[in-house]
Amino acid sequence: MANIPVLIVILPLAAALLCLVLTAIHERLGLWAVGLASLASFVLSVMQLITVAREGTIHYCIGGYAVPYGIEFVIDSVNACVLVMISLIGFLTVIFAKNFGERIGRMQRGAGYAVLSLLITGLLGMTSTGDVFNLYVFLEITSLSAYCLIALGGSKGVVSAFRYMLVGTIAATFYLLGIGVLYAATGTLNMGDMSDILDKGGYDHVMLVSMCLLIVGFGIKMALFPFHGWQPSAYTHAEPGTRPLITGVMGKIPALAMFRFIFCVFGTDLIYVRFLLVMLGVFSVCGMLYGSIMAMGQSDLRKVLAYSSVAQIAYISLGFAIGTPTALAGSFIHMLAHAFMKGGLFFCTGAISYKFGTYSLDDLGRIYKKMPLTCGLLVVAALSMIGIPPTAGFFSKWYLALGAAGAHYWVYLAVLVISSLLNAVYFFKLIEKVFIQPSKDLDERWSAGEFELPVSIVLPVVVCFAAILAIGIFNVRIFDFLMMTLEGVGL
């Protein structure tokens, strides 16, 4: 029980290392290993969240080496929630992905499961670690895994992955330069120890240079406007079975890392922090408007959702720009909500493609008659993206709006409302296509059994549906839990 923080990360890593060997023994063994490891990580992360709620922040030193010499995992109320989100969507993606890739060989599928497990490992490690260089290691594991999974999407996926690799390498370089500046000044890699040293004063210019480098590095990784150029193509052409994890989770973890550096390492006493948060706010406002407007003009469902993600990630960074505890809580509730909204929507696109082989909006006429469960989630997720109660998206935007109003950021509040209205335009268009537009004569690629789709596709859809409603219904409890950490770090 004492080793839960590290077991959550080690289990999917071990599954990734064993996956190819097990696949060589039996076609399904590798998949089962990855699935069981991700399920075990989810169960352990829930247990860990309960422990944090009862006992407070967990500090786990790997190998027993004391801070600042060893690597420390720090689990507070914020990343305890994020770990549950990653492991749950990771598990759902594993069971969803088994329905795709029939055209490739047995060992190639095993390699795909191994890379997927490595992606889950990297995301969990980035979320847990309290060491800035260890965060870089997990960041690279995440990035390399993502490049491979995007490239598996076909010829366009290869081009998208190459483009992402180029800008991702630049992002990693900016991150290394940023932590290099901090290490040269402080002589430590532990975030808590680094924060204590910086608090003594005299490092304002060092922190300014480092923060600028880190905002660019994390901005690229989280696809924050104007660093988002790689994202729409990568999200559109990624391997369909693993696309929900890539689109729903991958951009959120660099955002969490950005929060840690700005509010936990540098702190709000830095004389330049207001200027940098205003700059982050400008990026967020532009991203919210740009992503929504671009999504309105797309005819491919994948591109609609990809450009929508540019706007949605800007909601998270907008909470950081406001900087009050309420706004920060809104950011993290939106992070949780959007992971299930966008992950769920991409589960839906995969399900539609699996059944009908299309992503075109024009082909979706009245498909609710043949895919009621899938279309039910699509509607709930769309309403949540717009911000209709009692869904999760309404409450995350509500807390962001409260934070903006409390800090007198009326421009942010206005843009938040305008962006939500723009969301309504293209999501109601999608709902119209699904329920009102005349149906087309599409060939069904899968029509066996009583369910509209295999259980391994229906289950992720149902879980995301339930999660969107649960986050909305229990938003107050989630808010209070997050405030255990955020009350001490906000402006």
Side-chain angles (χ1 to χ4, degrees), residues 83 257 280 336 456:
L83 287 167
L280 189 60
L336 299 174
S456 54

Side-chain angles (χ1 to χ4, degrees), residues 202-400:
Y203 297 97
D204 287 344
H205 292 87
V206 170
M207 288 192 285
L208 174 63
V209 172
S210 177
M211 189 181 292
C212 289
L213 291 168
L214 292 173
I215 286 176
V216 174
F218 289 133
I220 293 173
K221 287 294 185 180
M222 61 192 277
L224 175 67
F225 183 93
F227 311 110
H228 68 283
W230 62 270
Q231 186 255 54
S233 178
Y235 281 16
T236 300
H237 302 298
E239 196 278 324
T242 57
R243 193 182 291 136
L245 180 64
I246 293 172
T247 58
V249 176
M250 197 174 70
K252 314 297 188 302
I253 312 309
L256 172 62
M258 179 187 286
F259 159 79
R260 281 190 174 188
F261 274 96
I262 294 176
F263 291 95
C264 301
V265 176
F266 298 124
T268 55
D269 294 331
L270 174 63
I271 59 174
Y272 300 108
V273 74
R274 295 282 183 177
F275 166 74
L276 291 167
L277 291 181
V278 168
M279 180 178 68
L280 189 60
V282 172
F283 291 161
S284 302
V285 166
C286 294
M288 290 162 66
L289 297 176
Y290 170 85
S292 299
I293 292 171
M294 290 298 294
M296 292 167 60
Q298 306 304 315
S299 59
D300 186 312
L301 180 56
R302 296 169 300 176
K303 287 193 174 182
V304 172
L305 301 179
Y307 278 107
S308 171
S309 290
V310 176
Q312 297 299 319
I313 205 72
Y315 285 109
I316 297 172
S317 58
L318 181 70
F320 299 166
I322 297 168
T324 63
T326 299
L328 292 173
S331 288
F332 287 111
I333 292 175
H334 195 75
M335 183 181 292
L336 299 174
H338 185 254
F340 289 101
M341 293 186 298
K342 190 53 57 72
L345 285 167
F346 273 103
F347 280 130
C348 288
T349 64
I352 293 169
S353 173
Y354 186 85
K355 191 173 182 72
F356 295 115
T358 183
Y359 293 107
S360 174
L361 285 175
D362 293 331
D363 291 338
L364 302 184
R366 299 183 184 177
I367 63 166
Y368 76 93
K369 294 182 177 179
K370 295 182 178 179
M371 304 182 71
L373 273 176
T374 302
C375 293
L377 171 62
L378 192 143
V379 171
V380 170
L383 294 178
S384 186
M385 296 281 280
I386 296 167
I388 304 298
T391 60
F394 169 79
F395 292 101
S396 63
K397 292 182 181 182
W398 174 254
Y399 290 121
L400 287 172

Side-chain angles (χ1 to χ4, degrees), residues 91-100 240-241 244 346-347 350-351 456-457 460:
F91 170 66
L92 296 176
T93 302
V94 171
I95 63 175
F96 182 80
K98 82 180 190 65
N99 298 283
F100 299 85
F346 273 103
F347 280 130
S456 54
I457 292 181

